[in-house]
Amino acid sequence: MASSLTKDAAGNPGSQKTFFGHPRGLATLFLTEMWERFSYYGMRALLPLYLIAPGGLALDAATATVIYSVYMATVYLLTLPGGWFGDRYWGPRKTVAIAASIVMLGHLTLALPGDAVFYVGLVLVAIGSGLLKANISTMVGHLYDGPNDPRRDGGFTVFYMGINIGAFAAPLVIGTVGENVGWHWGFGLAALGMGLGLLQFLLAGKTLSPRSSEVPKPLSSDERNNVIRKSLIWLLIAVVFYGIVGFSGSFTIKWATVPLTILGLVIPIMVLGRMKRDKELTGTEQSKLSAYVWFFIAAAVFWMIYDQGGSTLAIFADGKVDNQVFGWEFPVSWFQSVNPILVMALAPVFAWIWLYLNKKGKEPSTITKFAGGLTLVGISFFVFLLPLTASSDGSLVNPWWLVVIYFCQTVGELMLSPVGLSVTTKMAPAKYASQMMGVWFLAVTAGDSVTGLLSDSGVDLNRTGVVALEAALAVVGGLAIFMYRRKVKSLMGEIH
């Protein structure tokens, strides 16, 4: 950590000292996000294993995949109302503090024995993560003097490293405790991580920008009453409906998972459809929105396969992979640390490659990078077919197969995810500038919802035929996007 007597350009409190040349508040947000990701990814690494374990909930693989997929879809779906709370009700800083408290409470609930409290804890973690994710990145932006501050991109890069440090350490620590000591001890350790993040966030609040405490567009009293009235009506409908289902004795997990997965598909379509029907948008904005639909669909297919790294691949690793290296056995959950360590190792390499190619005038276009990312995630599942077939006779396969699969997916992620965030901000209509980031996260919701619906319909995602079909869908989709790249470029206008 570096120090300087130079005041930050934005004049933020506590900016006389800097964090690697950035406003001091970046250290606060870096650590908050690192601990939140530590708790989130630690719980995520344990979740599918706990769901299928005899000492856990002892569910079948299909049901475990449904629950995992619905959970993931819900987290990203809730980023929309999370952003709304930050913009209209509490302000980003207060929303993050409340969100972190809810996440911690959720992990503490998961640490308690009992099936019912487990699902309550899962819901609380999803709500808290959705609220936090939508606002903490906004607070990073508040530390800088507008979008043209030359340190801004570097600040987000440092912040992104905090995410991956937490994601890397979590399976190693929480996964080991959960698998070797006790599942609920692992969930409790995730609560401790979030508690540490919340504590330093509250103690170091003076380093944050005053803008983060402001409510950008506060609700009027009429708007607030309208929101409360509608929320209570929908809550009453849900309570009555599920009360009837519960007392009739016909409630099963499908009564919760099916509506959520359908919502995960319907809401993204409705949001994009509403934007496309908006007559106030200019012709140029409508053209960019049409181009963005291509990116959205490609991203949804990508995340549908990519997020199975924590469900389908994790369940495959539990029982079909020889998790030993040089005779030393490691917990299955450790496989979830492969992706973040690869991201940290490869992200600087990709940044250098794009810069080098740009100077040569040969940097691939945004649409070409997207096509490459989608193709690579498809190739990862073609690779998955090899160990999947080899294990069909009961043999344990080499763990390096999973490393190769995660490597392909990580390279694909680095081609698609950062580019997707950038192109979302560039192609957003002025009227929907803040909402479009939520739309980008809805692509994750849509992809995970498809996975959930497939599993809920009885589709075994660990069958070679299904894996081959998903792989082919991604590769064909990537090639199709590449073939139509000129058409998409023309719709994008001046965006390259």
Side-chain angles (χ1 to χ4, degrees):
M1 187 178 300
S3 294
S4 172
L5 295 178
T6 304
K7 190 174 181 180
D8 173 58
N12 294 314
S15 58
Q16 289 81 2
K17 291 184 178 180
T18 63
F19 179 66
F20 293 110
H22 293 273
R24 180 75 171 178
L26 183 61
T28 301
L29 299 176
F30 174 95
L31 291 170
T32 304
E33 182 71 352
M34 185 191 75
W35 283 115
E36 190 274 334
R37 292 291 91 180
F38 175 84
S39 65
Y40 174 83
Y41 279 99
M43 188 279 292
R44 199 183 88 152
L46 287 183
L47 180 58
L49 303 178
Y50 173 75
L51 292 173
I52 64 175
L57 296 188
L59 302 174
D60 59 83
T63 305
T65 301
V66 172
I67 293 172
Y68 177 90
S69 300
V70 168
Y71 166 72
M72 292 291 292
T74 304
V75 167
Y76 286 93
L77 181 62
L78 290 173
T79 58
L80 277 180
W84 181 87
F85 271 100
D87 287 342
R88 308 297 309 276
Y89 201 73
W90 288 324
R93 181 174 170 179
K94 186 176 181 179
T95 304
V96 167
I98 292 172
S101 302
I102 294 172
V103 169
M104 185 173 66
L105 179 61
H107 287 306
L108 287 172
T109 307
L110 289 171
L112 300 174
D115 294 3
V117 293
F118 171 81
Y119 291 112
V120 172
L122 210 57
V123 170
L124 288 172
V125 175
I127 292 172
S129 296
L131 285 170
L132 189 144
K133 192 173 186 65
N135 288 280
I136 196 164
S137 295
T138 301
M139 293 178 68
V140 175
H142 288 166
L143 295 171
Y144 298 95
D145 189 18
N148 295 320
D149 190 320
R151 301 166 302 164
R152 186 184 179 93
D153 287 350
F156 274 97
T157 300
V158 173
F159 179 73
Y160 190 62
M161 292 300 288
I163 294 174
N164 284 285
I165 290 171
F168 168 71
L172 303 181
V173 179
I174 295 174
T176 301
V177 171
E179 289 191 62
N180 296 335
V181 179
W183 299 108
H184 297 292
W185 284 101
F187 293 133
L189 191 57
L192 176 62
M194 187 67 264
L196 290 172
L198 175 60
L199 180 63
Q200 68 84 37
F201 179 80
L202 295 175
L203 292 177
K206 64 180 181 180
T207 66
L208 302 173
S209 169
R211 291 175 57 201
S212 297
S213 300
E214 298 172 358
V215 181
K217 191 180 178 184
L219 290 170
S220 65
S221 57
D222 288 341
E223 288 175 321
R224 182 175 296 147
N225 292 335
N226 188 40
V227 168
I228 293 173
R229 184 173 61 254
K230 288 183 178 179
S231 299
L232 288 175
I233 290 172
W234 280 109
L235 179 61
L236 180 63
I237 291 172
V239 169
V240 171
F241 176 78
Y242 281 102
I244 293 172
V245 173
F247 283 117
S248 68
S250 58
F251 181 83
T252 65
I253 192 65
K254 286 182 180 289
W255 282 104
T257 57
V258 172
L260 284 172
T261 48
I262 291 174
L263 280 174
L265 284 174
V266 171
I267 290 176
I269 294 172
M270 287 177 60
V271 171
L272 282 171
R274 178 170 59 85
M275 290 183 181
K276 281 295 296 176
R277 292 192 302 272
D278 193 334
K279 302 297 184 183
E280 294 182 8
L281 299 185
T282 65
T284 301
E285 288 177 324
Q286 282 286 0
S287 178
K288 290 179 181 178
L289 203 53
S290 296
Y292 188 76
V293 171
W294 285 75
F295 291 103
F296 183 89
I297 294 172
V301 175
F302 177 89
W303 296 118
M304 178 187 72
I305 296 176
Y306 180 91
D307 277 349
Q308 288 183 58
S311 55
T312 304
L313 289 175
I315 292 171
F316 173 77
D318 186 37
K320 294 189 177 182
V321 175
D322 182 15
N323 54 320
Q324 296 187 62
V325 177
F326 304 120
W328 173 68
E329 186 174 353
F330 57 89
V332 176
S333 54
W334 282 23
F335 281 114
Q336 298 307 309
S337 288
V338 174
N339 169 257
I341 193 65
L342 287 174
V343 168
M344 288 189 285
L346 295 176
V349 176
F350 269 77
W352 178 85
I353 289 174
W354 300 143
L355 186 61
Y356 175 79
L357 291 176
N358 182 269
K359 290 179 179 178
K360 297 284 186 180
K362 297 180 180 179
E363 183 182 2
S365 64
T366 297
I367 192 68
T368 301
K369 291 176 183 176
F370 246 73
L374 188 56
T375 302
L376 276 167
V377 83
I379 290 173
S380 77
F381 260 36
F382 276 128
V383 174
F384 182 30
L385 287 172
L386 299 175
L388 195 59
T389 303
S391 66
S392 60
D393 61 357
S395 302
L396 295 178
V397 299
N398 194 299
W400 288 104
W401 279 115
L402 286 185
V403 175
V404 173
I405 294 169
Y406 285 128
F407 176 82
C408 293
Q409 293 185 350
T410 302
V411 174
E413 177 191 4
L414 290 171
M415 293 185 71
L416 182 141
S417 185
V419 174
L421 288 169
S422 176
V423 80
T424 297
T425 59
K426 292 177 181 177
M427 296 174 65
K431 184 177 179 180
Y432 299 108
S434 59
Q435 294 183 42
M436 281 295 283
M437 193 55 68
V439 172
W440 169 252
F441 288 130
L442 286 180
V444 185
T445 296
D448 285 325
S449 294
V450 171
T451 302
L453 281 175
L454 289 173
S455 296
D456 234 343
S457 303
V459 176
D460 184 358
L461 296 175
N462 265 310
R463 287 179 51 198
T464 53
V466 177
V467 171
L469 185 61
E470 289 184 85
L473 174 66
V475 171
V476 170
L479 294 175
I481 290 173
F482 181 76
M483 288 174 62
Y484 283 90
R485 64 190 184 281
R486 289 186 177 84
K487 178 180 179 181
V488 178
K489 281 182 183 179
S490 65
L491 291 172
M492 291 171 67
E494 78 284 1
I495 305 298
H496 299 292

